[in-house]
PDB file of all heavy atoms in Angstrom:
ATOM      1  N   ASP B 236      60.075 169.968  34.488  1.00  0.00           N
ATOM      2  CA  ASP B 236      61.117 170.964  34.306  1.00  0.00           C
ATOM      3  C   ASP B 236      61.650 171.491  35.639  1.00  0.00           C
ATOM      4  O   ASP B 236      62.556 170.918  36.199  1.00  0.00           O
ATOM      5  CB  ASP B 236      60.586 172.090  33.414  1.00  0.00           C
ATOM      6  CG  ASP B 236      61.707 172.898  32.818  1.00  0.00           C
ATOM      7  OD1 ASP B 236      62.824 172.346  32.710  1.00  0.00           O
ATOM      8  OD2 ASP B 236      61.475 174.072  32.482  1.00  0.00           O
ATOM      9  N   TYR B 239      61.692 168.871  38.234  1.00  0.00           N
ATOM     10  CA  TYR B 239      62.012 167.564  37.661  1.00  0.00           C
ATOM     11  C   TYR B 239      62.615 166.628  38.710  1.00  0.00           C
ATOM     12  O   TYR B 239      62.409 165.427  38.686  1.00  0.00           O
ATOM     13  CB  TYR B 239      62.976 167.763  36.486  1.00  0.00           C
ATOM     14  CG  TYR B 239      63.184 166.532  35.653  1.00  0.00           C
ATOM     15  CD1 TYR B 239      62.100 165.763  35.230  1.00  0.00           C
ATOM     16  CD2 TYR B 239      64.459 166.146  35.260  1.00  0.00           C
ATOM     17  CE1 TYR B 239      62.283 164.644  34.460  1.00  0.00           C
ATOM     18  CE2 TYR B 239      64.651 165.022  34.476  1.00  0.00           C
ATOM     19  CZ  TYR B 239      63.561 164.271  34.082  1.00  0.00           C
ATOM     20  OH  TYR B 239      63.749 163.156  33.316  1.00  0.00           O
ATOM     21  N   MET B 262      66.201 147.419  62.532  1.00  0.00           N
ATOM     22  CA  MET B 262      67.382 146.756  63.086  1.00  0.00           C
ATOM     23  C   MET B 262      67.973 147.548  64.241  1.00  0.00           C
ATOM     24  O   MET B 262      68.409 146.983  65.233  1.00  0.00           O
ATOM     25  CB  MET B 262      68.457 146.599  62.002  1.00  0.00           C
ATOM     26  CG  MET B 262      68.178 145.593  60.945  1.00  0.00           C
ATOM     27  SD  MET B 262      67.706 144.000  61.611  1.00  0.00           S
ATOM     28  CE  MET B 262      69.090 143.660  62.674  1.00  0.00           C
ATOM     29  N   LYS B 334     103.076 149.019  29.769  1.00  0.00           N
ATOM     30  CA  LYS B 334     104.401 149.530  29.433  1.00  0.00           C
ATOM     31  C   LYS B 334     104.651 149.372  27.936  1.00  0.00           C
ATOM     32  O   LYS B 334     104.270 148.378  27.324  1.00  0.00           O
ATOM     33  CB  LYS B 334     105.468 148.766  30.215  1.00  0.00           C
ATOM     34  CG  LYS B 334     106.849 149.339  30.023  1.00  0.00           C
ATOM     35  CD  LYS B 334     107.845 148.571  30.846  1.00  0.00           C
ATOM     36  CE  LYS B 334     109.251 149.100  30.623  1.00  0.00           C
ATOM     37  NZ  LYS B 334     109.727 148.917  29.257  1.00  0.00           N
ATOM     38  N   LYS B 338     104.084 143.149  24.682  1.00  0.00           N
ATOM     39  CA  LYS B 338     103.147 142.715  23.654  1.00  0.00           C
ATOM     40  C   LYS B 338     101.961 141.979  24.267  1.00  0.00           C
ATOM     41  O   LYS B 338     101.961 141.664  25.453  1.00  0.00           O
ATOM     42  CB  LYS B 338     103.880 141.800  22.666  1.00  0.00           C
ATOM     43  CG  LYS B 338     104.912 142.558  21.865  1.00  0.00           C
ATOM     44  CD  LYS B 338     105.396 141.757  20.680  1.00  0.00           C
ATOM     45  CE  LYS B 338     106.450 142.534  19.936  1.00  0.00           C
ATOM     46  NZ  LYS B 338     107.828 142.058  20.215  1.00  0.00           N
ATOM     47  N   VAL B 452      93.187 161.284  42.223  1.00  0.00           N
ATOM     48  CA  VAL B 452      91.968 161.033  41.451  1.00  0.00           C
ATOM     49  C   VAL B 452      91.064 159.997  42.112  1.00  0.00           C
ATOM     50  O   VAL B 452      89.854 160.041  41.973  1.00  0.00           O
ATOM     51  CB  VAL B 452      92.337 160.571  40.022  1.00  0.00           C
ATOM     52  CG1 VAL B 452      91.108 160.515  39.148  1.00  0.00           C
ATOM     53  CG2 VAL B 452      93.350 161.502  39.421  1.00  0.00           C
ATOM     54  N   LEU B 497      78.770 139.070  63.485  1.00  0.00           N
ATOM     55  CA  LEU B 497      77.366 139.350  63.751  1.00  0.00           C
ATOM     56  C   LEU B 497      76.444 138.459  62.924  1.00  0.00           C
ATOM     57  O   LEU B 497      75.359 138.120  63.358  1.00  0.00           O
ATOM     58  CB  LEU B 497      77.026 140.840  63.643  1.00  0.00           C
ATOM     59  CG  LEU B 497      77.043 141.620  62.363  1.00  0.00           C
ATOM     60  CD1 LEU B 497      75.704 141.541  61.684  1.00  0.00           C
ATOM     61  CD2 LEU B 497      77.307 143.079  62.693  1.00  0.00           C
ATOM     62  N   SER B 525      83.988 157.899  57.305  1.00  0.00           N
ATOM     63  CA  SER B 525      83.796 158.309  55.909  1.00  0.00           C
ATOM     64  C   SER B 525      83.350 159.749  55.788  1.00  0.00           C
ATOM     65  O   SER B 525      83.771 160.436  54.861  1.00  0.00           O
ATOM     66  CB  SER B 525      82.810 157.438  55.157  1.00  0.00           C
ATOM     67  OG  SER B 525      82.474 156.325  55.849  1.00  0.00           O
ATOM     68  N   GLU B 538      83.467 170.113  43.691  1.00  0.00           N
ATOM     69  CA  GLU B 538      82.351 169.617  42.906  1.00  0.00           C
ATOM     70  C   GLU B 538      81.383 170.709  42.452  1.00  0.00           C
ATOM     71  O   GLU B 538      80.939 170.729  41.319  1.00  0.00           O
ATOM     72  CB  GLU B 538      81.615 168.560  43.722  1.00  0.00           C
ATOM     73  CG  GLU B 538      80.470 167.939  42.969  1.00  0.00           C
ATOM     74  CD  GLU B 538      79.233 167.859  43.818  1.00  0.00           C
ATOM     75  OE1 GLU B 538      79.195 168.508  44.880  1.00  0.00           O
ATOM     76  OE2 GLU B 538      78.305 167.190  43.419  1.00  0.00           O
TER      77      GLU B 538
ATOM     78  N   ASN C  23     116.293 148.011  28.428  1.00  0.00           N
ATOM     79  CA  ASN C  23     114.861 147.879  28.192  1.00  0.00           C
ATOM     80  C   ASN C  23     114.467 146.423  27.972  1.00  0.00           C
ATOM     81  O   ASN C  23     113.461 145.942  28.477  1.00  0.00           O
ATOM     82  CB  ASN C  23     114.497 148.695  26.950  1.00  0.00           C
ATOM     83  CG  ASN C  23     113.121 149.324  27.143  1.00  0.00           C
ATOM     84  OD1 ASN C  23     112.448 149.029  28.126  1.00  0.00           O
ATOM     85  ND2 ASN C  23     112.741 150.168  26.220  1.00  0.00           N
ATOM     86  N   TYR C  31     107.804 140.235  31.568  1.00  0.00           N
ATOM     87  CA  TYR C  31     107.138 139.069  30.987  1.00  0.00           C
ATOM     88  C   TYR C  31     107.106 137.909  31.960  1.00  0.00           C
ATOM     89  O   TYR C  31     106.089 137.230  32.111  1.00  0.00           O
ATOM     90  CB  TYR C  31     107.848 138.626  29.700  1.00  0.00           C
ATOM     91  CG  TYR C  31     107.423 139.410  28.478  1.00  0.00           C
ATOM     92  CD1 TYR C  31     108.355 140.020  27.648  1.00  0.00           C
ATOM     93  CD2 TYR C  31     106.066 139.510  28.158  1.00  0.00           C
ATOM     94  CE1 TYR C  31     107.962 140.738  26.535  1.00  0.00           C
ATOM     95  CE2 TYR C  31     105.662 140.235  27.041  1.00  0.00           C
ATOM     96  CZ  TYR C  31     106.615 140.845  26.233  1.00  0.00           C
ATOM     97  OH  TYR C  31     106.216 141.546  25.144  1.00  0.00           O
ATOM     98  N   ARG C 123      69.170 168.366  48.237  1.00  0.00           N
ATOM     99  CA  ARG C 123      70.185 167.635  47.495  1.00  0.00           C
ATOM    100  C   ARG C 123      71.323 167.155  48.388  1.00  0.00           C
ATOM    101  O   ARG C 123      71.614 165.960  48.488  1.00  0.00           O
ATOM    102  CB  ARG C 123      70.718 168.520  46.374  1.00  0.00           C
ATOM    103  CG  ARG C 123      71.786 167.896  45.548  1.00  0.00           C
ATOM    104  CD  ARG C 123      72.175 168.801  44.410  1.00  0.00           C
ATOM    105  NE  ARG C 123      73.386 168.329  43.788  1.00  0.00           N
ATOM    106  CZ  ARG C 123      74.588 168.699  44.172  1.00  0.00           C
ATOM    107  NH1 ARG C 123      74.723 169.543  45.162  1.00  0.00           N
ATOM    108  NH2 ARG C 123      75.666 168.228  43.581  1.00  0.00           N
ATOM    109  N   MET C 135      76.714 152.103  54.717  1.00  0.00           N
ATOM    110  CA  MET C 135      77.696 151.537  55.635  1.00  0.00           C
ATOM    111  C   MET C 135      77.115 150.528  56.607  1.00  0.00           C
ATOM    112  O   MET C 135      77.819 149.922  57.376  1.00  0.00           O
ATOM    113  CB  MET C 135      78.350 152.642  56.440  1.00  0.00           C
ATOM    114  CG  MET C 135      79.300 153.420  55.589  1.00  0.00           C
ATOM    115  SD  MET C 135      79.573 154.987  56.329  1.00  0.00           S
ATOM    116  CE  MET C 135      79.832 155.916  54.869  1.00  0.00           C
ATOM    117  N   MET C 140      71.901 142.499  57.534  1.00  0.00           N
ATOM    118  CA  MET C 140      71.205 142.680  58.792  1.00  0.00           C
ATOM    119  C   MET C 140      69.756 143.129  58.545  1.00  0.00           C
ATOM    120  O   MET C 140      68.857 142.791  59.293  1.00  0.00           O
ATOM    121  CB  MET C 140      71.919 143.711  59.662  1.00  0.00           C
ATOM    122  CG  MET C 140      73.163 143.202  60.309  1.00  0.00           C
ATOM    123  SD  MET C 140      72.828 141.866  61.456  1.00  0.00           S
ATOM    124  CE  MET C 140      72.092 142.759  62.806  1.00  0.00           C
ATOM    125  N   LYS C 177      76.964 159.580  38.594  1.00  0.00           N
ATOM    126  CA  LYS C 177      76.991 161.016  38.859  1.00  0.00           C
ATOM    127  C   LYS C 177      78.354 161.598  38.492  1.00  0.00           C
ATOM    128  O   LYS C 177      78.443 162.653  37.873  1.00  0.00           O
ATOM    129  CB  LYS C 177      76.703 161.288  40.333  1.00  0.00           C
ATOM    130  CG  LYS C 177      76.839 162.757  40.692  1.00  0.00           C
ATOM    131  CD  LYS C 177      76.652 162.980  42.176  1.00  0.00           C
ATOM    132  CE  LYS C 177      76.959 164.404  42.552  1.00  0.00           C
ATOM    133  NZ  LYS C 177      78.385 164.734  42.504  1.00  0.00           N
ATOM    134  N   LYS C 198      63.845 170.046  31.306  1.00  0.00           N
ATOM    135  CA  LYS C 198      64.920 169.225  31.866  1.00  0.00           C
ATOM    136  C   LYS C 198      64.750 167.761  31.539  1.00  0.00           C
ATOM    137  O   LYS C 198      65.712 167.023  31.379  1.00  0.00           O
ATOM    138  CB  LYS C 198      64.973 169.448  33.371  1.00  0.00           C
ATOM    139  CG  LYS C 198      65.572 170.800  33.664  1.00  0.00           C
ATOM    140  CD  LYS C 198      65.824 171.040  35.111  1.00  0.00           C
ATOM    141  CE  LYS C 198      66.625 172.319  35.265  1.00  0.00           C
ATOM    142  NZ  LYS C 198      66.339 173.018  36.506  1.00  0.00           N
ATOM    143  N   ASN C 199      63.481 167.341  31.442  1.00  0.00           N
ATOM    144  CA  ASN C 199      63.213 165.962  31.067  1.00  0.00           C
ATOM    145  C   ASN C 199      63.808 165.655  29.703  1.00  0.00           C
ATOM    146  O   ASN C 199      64.483 164.649  29.501  1.00  0.00           O
ATOM    147  CB  ASN C 199      61.693 165.754  31.062  1.00  0.00           C
ATOM    148  CG  ASN C 199      61.315 164.310  30.840  1.00  0.00           C
ATOM    149  OD1 ASN C 199      61.995 163.418  31.349  1.00  0.00           O
ATOM    150  ND2 ASN C 199      60.269 164.083  30.072  1.00  0.00           N
ATOM    151  N   ALA C 296      86.391 157.869  39.766  1.00  0.00           N
ATOM    152  CA  ALA C 296      87.593 158.609  40.061  1.00  0.00           C
ATOM    153  C   ALA C 296      87.309 160.032  40.518  1.00  0.00           C
ATOM    154  O   ALA C 296      87.833 160.473  41.521  1.00  0.00           O
ATOM    155  CB  ALA C 296      88.464 158.644  38.822  1.00  0.00           C
TER     156      ALA C 296
END
Side-chain angles (χ1 to χ4, degrees):
Chain B
D236 199 24
Y239 191 47
M262 288 310 305
K334 186 178 178 296
K338 292 194 182 103
V452 189
L497 68 89
S525 350
E538 182 226 14
Chain C
N23 216 353
Y31 277 128
R123 179 176 168 270
M135 287 159 211
M140 284 297 287
K177 175 184 173 288
K198 286 187 171 149
N199 187 38

